[in-house]
mmCIF file of all heavy atoms in Angstrom:
data_model
loop_
_atom_site.group_PDB
_atom_site.id
_atom_site.type_symbol
_atom_site.label_atom_id
_atom_site.label_comp_id
_atom_site.label_asym_id
_atom_site.label_seq_id
_atom_site.Cartn_x
_atom_site.Cartn_y
_atom_site.Cartn_z
ATOM 1 N N TYR A 11 69.754 88.591 100.156
ATOM 2 C CA TYR A 11 68.996 89.746 99.792
ATOM 3 C C TYR A 11 69.282 90.923 100.726
ATOM 4 O O TYR A 11 69.188 90.740 101.944
ATOM 5 C CB TYR A 11 67.465 89.404 99.878
ATOM 6 C CG TYR A 11 67.091 88.220 99.002
ATOM 7 C CD1 TYR A 11 66.988 86.996 99.507
ATOM 8 C CD2 TYR A 11 66.865 88.474 97.627
ATOM 9 C CE1 TYR A 11 66.633 85.893 98.659
ATOM 10 C CE2 TYR A 11 66.507 87.411 96.823
ATOM 11 C CZ TYR A 11 66.384 86.098 97.319
ATOM 12 O OH TYR A 11 66.039 85.086 96.480
ATOM 13 N N GLY A 12 69.608 92.027 100.211
ATOM 14 C CA GLY A 12 69.996 93.166 101.007
ATOM 15 C C GLY A 12 68.813 94.159 101.131
ATOM 16 O O GLY A 12 68.056 94.398 100.173
ATOM 17 N N THR A 13 68.682 94.678 102.386
ATOM 18 C CA THR A 13 67.657 95.681 102.618
ATOM 19 C C THR A 13 68.330 96.799 103.428
ATOM 20 O O THR A 13 69.377 96.541 104.047
ATOM 21 C CB THR A 13 66.405 95.202 103.312
ATOM 22 O OG1 THR A 13 66.846 94.650 104.603
ATOM 23 C CG2 THR A 13 65.736 94.135 102.560
ATOM 24 N N ALA A 14 67.750 97.927 103.421
ATOM 25 C CA ALA A 14 68.291 99.028 104.254
ATOM 26 C C ALA A 14 67.167 99.860 104.815
ATOM 27 O O ALA A 14 66.191 100.221 104.149
ATOM 28 C CB ALA A 14 69.154 99.930 103.334
ATOM 29 N N PRO A 15 67.228 100.119 106.112
ATOM 30 C CA PRO A 15 66.185 100.932 106.782
ATOM 31 C C PRO A 15 66.476 102.443 106.581
ATOM 32 O O PRO A 15 66.940 103.151 107.451
ATOM 33 C CB PRO A 15 66.356 100.560 108.293
ATOM 34 C CG PRO A 15 67.834 100.236 108.434
ATOM 35 C CD PRO A 15 68.235 99.667 107.106
ATOM 36 N N LEU A 22 71.388 103.642 96.509
ATOM 37 C CA LEU A 22 72.042 102.784 97.499
ATOM 38 C C LEU A 22 73.010 101.861 96.788
ATOM 39 O O LEU A 22 72.718 101.300 95.752
ATOM 40 C CB LEU A 22 71.013 101.934 98.277
ATOM 41 C CG LEU A 22 70.008 102.750 99.093
ATOM 42 C CD1 LEU A 22 68.992 101.812 99.717
ATOM 43 C CD2 LEU A 22 70.650 103.622 100.118
ATOM 44 N N PHE A 23 74.169 101.681 97.436
ATOM 45 C CA PHE A 23 75.193 100.800 96.890
ATOM 46 C C PHE A 23 75.397 99.668 97.888
ATOM 47 O O PHE A 23 75.668 99.943 99.094
ATOM 48 C CB PHE A 23 76.528 101.556 96.703
ATOM 49 C CG PHE A 23 77.694 100.694 96.290
ATOM 50 C CD1 PHE A 23 77.768 100.253 94.947
ATOM 51 C CD2 PHE A 23 78.623 100.295 97.202
ATOM 52 C CE1 PHE A 23 78.826 99.459 94.549
ATOM 53 C CE2 PHE A 23 79.676 99.507 96.788
ATOM 54 C CZ PHE A 23 79.779 99.060 95.465
ATOM 55 N N PHE A 24 75.258 98.421 97.488
ATOM 56 C CA PHE A 24 75.349 97.273 98.341
ATOM 57 C C PHE A 24 76.664 96.519 98.045
ATOM 58 O O PHE A 24 76.993 96.269 96.845
ATOM 59 C CB PHE A 24 74.181 96.274 98.147
ATOM 60 C CG PHE A 24 72.912 96.827 98.657
ATOM 61 C CD1 PHE A 24 72.156 97.683 97.906
ATOM 62 C CD2 PHE A 24 72.411 96.375 99.873
ATOM 63 C CE1 PHE A 24 70.948 98.161 98.359
ATOM 64 C CE2 PHE A 24 71.175 96.869 100.351
ATOM 65 C CZ PHE A 24 70.465 97.757 99.611
ATOM 66 N N GLU A 25 77.462 96.168 99.052
ATOM 67 C CA GLU A 25 78.654 95.387 98.901
ATOM 68 C C GLU A 25 78.674 94.285 99.924
ATOM 69 O O GLU A 25 78.269 94.467 101.075
ATOM 70 C CB GLU A 25 79.906 96.260 99.104
ATOM 71 C CG GLU A 25 81.189 95.471 98.905
ATOM 72 C CD GLU A 25 82.429 96.347 98.983
ATOM 73 O OE1 GLU A 25 82.530 97.051 99.988
ATOM 74 O OE2 GLU A 25 83.259 96.265 98.050
ATOM 75 N N TRP A 26 79.097 93.062 99.462
ATOM 76 C CA TRP A 26 79.056 91.888 100.281
ATOM 77 C C TRP A 26 80.478 91.372 100.407
ATOM 78 O O TRP A 26 81.230 91.242 99.440
ATOM 79 C CB TRP A 26 78.223 90.842 99.656
ATOM 80 C CG TRP A 26 76.822 91.171 99.439
ATOM 81 C CD1 TRP A 26 76.292 91.915 98.403
ATOM 82 C CD2 TRP A 26 75.635 90.827 100.258
ATOM 83 N NE1 TRP A 26 74.920 92.038 98.530
ATOM 84 C CE2 TRP A 26 74.487 91.406 99.645
ATOM 85 C CE3 TRP A 26 75.521 90.109 101.411
ATOM 86 C CZ2 TRP A 26 73.282 91.253 100.221
ATOM 87 C CZ3 TRP A 26 74.250 89.947 101.952
ATOM 88 C CH2 TRP A 26 73.179 90.494 101.375
ATOM 89 N N GLU A 27 80.891 91.062 101.612
ATOM 90 C CA GLU A 27 82.123 90.302 101.895
ATOM 91 C C GLU A 27 81.638 88.900 102.208
ATOM 92 O O GLU A 27 80.882 88.712 103.178
ATOM 93 C CB GLU A 27 82.935 90.903 103.048
ATOM 94 C CG GLU A 27 83.436 92.280 102.703
ATOM 95 C CD GLU A 27 84.095 92.947 103.923
ATOM 96 O OE1 GLU A 27 84.604 92.174 104.777
ATOM 97 O OE2 GLU A 27 84.119 94.164 104.000
ATOM 98 N N LEU A 28 82.025 87.881 101.408
ATOM 99 C CA LEU A 28 81.396 86.582 101.495
ATOM 100 C C LEU A 28 82.065 85.613 102.477
ATOM 101 O O LEU A 28 81.698 84.450 102.581
ATOM 102 C CB LEU A 28 81.352 85.976 100.089
ATOM 103 C CG LEU A 28 80.562 86.817 99.096
ATOM 104 C CD1 LEU A 28 80.673 86.276 97.643
ATOM 105 C CD2 LEU A 28 79.095 86.944 99.517
ATOM 106 N N LYS A 33 84.249 89.026 97.183
ATOM 107 C CA LYS A 33 83.294 90.115 97.375
ATOM 108 C C LYS A 33 82.285 90.098 96.269
ATOM 109 O O LYS A 33 82.532 89.570 95.168
ATOM 110 C CB LYS A 33 84.008 91.483 97.424
ATOM 111 C CG LYS A 33 84.893 91.637 98.644
ATOM 112 C CD LYS A 33 85.448 93.068 98.699
ATOM 113 C CE LYS A 33 86.255 93.188 99.975
ATOM 114 N NZ LYS A 33 86.719 94.575 100.144
ATOM 115 N N ALA A 34 81.146 90.680 96.516
ATOM 116 C CA ALA A 34 80.113 90.835 95.488
ATOM 117 C C ALA A 34 79.452 92.190 95.655
ATOM 118 O O ALA A 34 79.423 92.748 96.783
ATOM 119 C CB ALA A 34 79.073 89.713 95.597
ATOM 120 N N VAL A 35 78.880 92.727 94.613
ATOM 121 C CA VAL A 35 78.118 93.981 94.686
ATOM 122 C C VAL A 35 76.710 93.749 94.153
ATOM 123 O O VAL A 35 76.521 92.876 93.312
ATOM 124 C CB VAL A 35 78.815 95.108 93.941
ATOM 125 C CG1 VAL A 35 80.169 95.472 94.603
ATOM 126 C CG2 VAL A 35 79.033 94.778 92.481
ATOM 127 N N GLY A 36 75.823 94.534 94.676
ATOM 128 C CA GLY A 36 74.442 94.422 94.232
ATOM 129 C C GLY A 36 73.516 94.146 95.424
ATOM 130 O O GLY A 36 73.984 93.600 96.432
ATOM 131 N N GLN A 37 72.300 94.539 95.289
ATOM 132 C CA GLN A 37 71.388 94.366 96.426
ATOM 133 C C GLN A 37 71.115 92.886 96.679
ATOM 134 O O GLN A 37 70.972 92.514 97.862
ATOM 135 C CB GLN A 37 70.099 95.100 96.137
ATOM 136 C CG GLN A 37 69.081 95.008 97.337
ATOM 137 C CD GLN A 37 67.840 95.916 97.120
ATOM 138 O OE1 GLN A 37 67.738 96.596 96.079
ATOM 139 N NE2 GLN A 37 66.999 95.919 98.083
ATOM 140 N N ASN A 38 71.054 92.088 95.699
ATOM 141 C CA ASN A 38 70.769 90.678 95.807
ATOM 142 C C ASN A 38 71.893 89.868 95.102
ATOM 143 O O ASN A 38 72.223 90.200 93.982
ATOM 144 C CB ASN A 38 69.438 90.281 95.221
ATOM 145 C CG ASN A 38 68.350 91.074 95.864
ATOM 146 O OD1 ASN A 38 68.292 91.295 97.077
ATOM 147 N ND2 ASN A 38 67.425 91.548 95.065
ATOM 148 N N VAL A 51 79.523 86.354 106.599
ATOM 149 C CA VAL A 51 79.113 87.209 105.487
ATOM 150 C C VAL A 51 78.766 88.557 106.061
ATOM 151 O O VAL A 51 78.006 88.715 107.027
ATOM 152 C CB VAL A 51 77.922 86.629 104.717
ATOM 153 C CG1 VAL A 51 77.433 87.540 103.657
ATOM 154 C CG2 VAL A 51 78.269 85.248 104.179
ATOM 155 N N LYS A 52 79.326 89.631 105.441
ATOM 156 C CA LYS A 52 79.055 90.970 105.870
ATOM 157 C C LYS A 52 78.422 91.723 104.701
ATOM 158 O O LYS A 52 79.024 91.766 103.558
ATOM 159 C CB LYS A 52 80.326 91.692 106.338
ATOM 160 C CG LYS A 52 80.090 93.109 106.799
ATOM 161 C CD LYS A 52 81.435 93.736 107.234
ATOM 162 C CE LYS A 52 81.304 95.215 107.528
ATOM 163 N NZ LYS A 52 82.563 95.844 107.794
ATOM 164 N N MET A 53 77.328 92.421 104.912
ATOM 165 C CA MET A 53 76.720 93.276 103.944
ATOM 166 C C MET A 53 76.877 94.719 104.386
ATOM 167 O O MET A 53 76.550 95.001 105.563
ATOM 168 C CB MET A 53 75.237 92.949 103.793
ATOM 169 C CG MET A 53 74.555 93.807 102.699
ATOM 170 S SD MET A 53 72.757 94.034 102.938
ATOM 171 C CE MET A 53 72.697 95.102 104.377
ATOM 172 N N SER A 54 77.299 95.564 103.509
ATOM 173 C CA SER A 54 77.361 97.001 103.769
ATOM 174 C C SER A 54 76.493 97.684 102.710
ATOM 175 O O SER A 54 76.552 97.354 101.558
ATOM 176 C CB SER A 54 78.782 97.502 103.701
ATOM 177 O OG SER A 54 79.626 96.900 104.669
ATOM 178 N N VAL A 55 75.788 98.692 103.142
ATOM 179 C CA VAL A 55 75.003 99.456 102.229
ATOM 180 C C VAL A 55 75.231 100.938 102.496
ATOM 181 O O VAL A 55 75.325 101.363 103.652
ATOM 182 C CB VAL A 55 73.472 99.154 102.358
ATOM 183 C CG1 VAL A 55 72.933 99.468 103.745
ATOM 184 C CG2 VAL A 55 72.682 99.879 101.304
ATOM 185 N N SER A 56 75.440 101.710 101.416
ATOM 186 C CA SER A 56 75.795 103.110 101.518
ATOM 187 C C SER A 56 74.969 103.921 100.565
ATOM 188 O O SER A 56 74.643 103.495 99.452
ATOM 189 C CB SER A 56 77.289 103.314 101.198
ATOM 190 O OG SER A 56 77.566 104.661 101.239
ATOM 191 N N ASP A 57 74.596 105.165 100.997
ATOM 192 C CA ASP A 57 73.953 106.105 100.135
ATOM 193 C C ASP A 57 74.925 107.217 99.714
ATOM 194 O O ASP A 57 74.527 108.237 99.168
ATOM 195 C CB ASP A 57 72.676 106.706 100.738
ATOM 196 C CG ASP A 57 72.955 107.544 101.950
ATOM 197 O OD1 ASP A 57 74.110 107.732 102.345
ATOM 198 O OD2 ASP A 57 71.981 108.057 102.510
ATOM 199 N N GLY A 58 76.203 107.005 100.026
ATOM 200 C CA GLY A 58 77.218 107.993 99.728
ATOM 201 C C GLY A 58 77.520 108.914 100.911
ATOM 202 O O GLY A 58 78.551 109.562 100.952
ATOM 203 N N THR A 60 76.141 107.886 104.367
ATOM 204 C CA THR A 60 76.036 107.012 105.484
ATOM 205 C C THR A 60 76.189 105.545 105.053
ATOM 206 O O THR A 60 75.688 105.183 104.022
ATOM 207 C CB THR A 60 74.702 107.134 106.222
ATOM 208 O OG1 THR A 60 74.493 108.471 106.587
ATOM 209 C CG2 THR A 60 74.635 106.295 107.505
ATOM 210 N N THR A 61 76.961 104.759 105.851
ATOM 211 C CA THR A 61 77.100 103.345 105.587
ATOM 212 C C THR A 61 76.603 102.548 106.777
ATOM 213 O O THR A 61 76.973 102.845 107.877
ATOM 214 C CB THR A 61 78.588 103.008 105.276
ATOM 215 O OG1 THR A 61 79.000 103.736 104.155
ATOM 216 C CG2 THR A 61 78.759 101.504 104.965
ATOM 217 N N LEU A 62 75.796 101.533 106.485
ATOM 218 C CA LEU A 62 75.300 100.592 107.497
ATOM 219 C C LEU A 62 75.791 99.231 107.153
ATOM 220 O O LEU A 62 75.907 98.864 105.977
ATOM 221 C CB LEU A 62 73.791 100.634 107.506
ATOM 222 C CG LEU A 62 73.067 101.929 107.830
ATOM 223 C CD1 LEU A 62 71.587 101.821 107.644
ATOM 224 C CD2 LEU A 62 73.387 102.415 109.216
ATOM 225 N N SER A 63 76.011 98.408 108.165
ATOM 226 C CA SER A 63 76.519 97.019 107.948
ATOM 227 C C SER A 63 75.790 96.094 108.837
ATOM 228 O O SER A 63 75.319 96.407 109.901
ATOM 229 C CB SER A 63 78.029 96.961 108.278
ATOM 230 O OG SER A 63 78.744 97.767 107.459
ATOM 231 N N ASP A 64 75.706 94.831 108.364
ATOM 232 C CA ASP A 64 75.181 93.765 109.132
ATOM 233 C C ASP A 64 75.909 92.494 108.678
ATOM 234 O O ASP A 64 76.467 92.461 107.627
ATOM 235 C CB ASP A 64 73.674 93.640 108.876
ATOM 236 C CG ASP A 64 72.975 92.827 110.014
ATOM 237 O OD1 ASP A 64 73.638 92.445 110.974
ATOM 238 O OD2 ASP A 64 71.703 92.653 109.895
ATOM 239 N N SER A 65 75.827 91.461 109.523
ATOM 240 C CA SER A 65 76.565 90.205 109.174
ATOM 241 C C SER A 65 75.767 88.986 109.643
ATOM 242 O O SER A 65 74.860 89.083 110.440
ATOM 243 C CB SER A 65 77.945 90.197 109.808
ATOM 244 O OG SER A 65 77.892 90.204 111.184
ATOM 245 N N LEU A 66 76.152 87.851 109.082
ATOM 246 C CA LEU A 66 75.584 86.577 109.396
ATOM 247 C C LEU A 66 76.635 85.503 109.159
ATOM 248 O O LEU A 66 77.596 85.747 108.457
ATOM 249 C CB LEU A 66 74.310 86.230 108.628
ATOM 250 C CG LEU A 66 74.451 86.121 107.118
ATOM 251 C CD1 LEU A 66 74.643 84.690 106.713
ATOM 252 C CD2 LEU A 66 73.162 86.660 106.447
#
Side-chain angles (χ1 to χ4, degrees):
Y11 301 97
T13 60
L22 299 177
F23 177 76
F24 291 81
E25 182 176 52
W26 300 82
E27 296 175 25
L28 301 174
K33 291 186 177 185
V35 294
Q37 184 172 359
N38 304 317
V51 176
K52 178 181 175 187
M53 181 205 72
S54 298
V55 59
S56 175
D57 67 359
T60 304
T61 300
L62 301 172
S63 298
D64 201 1
S65 63
L66 62 94

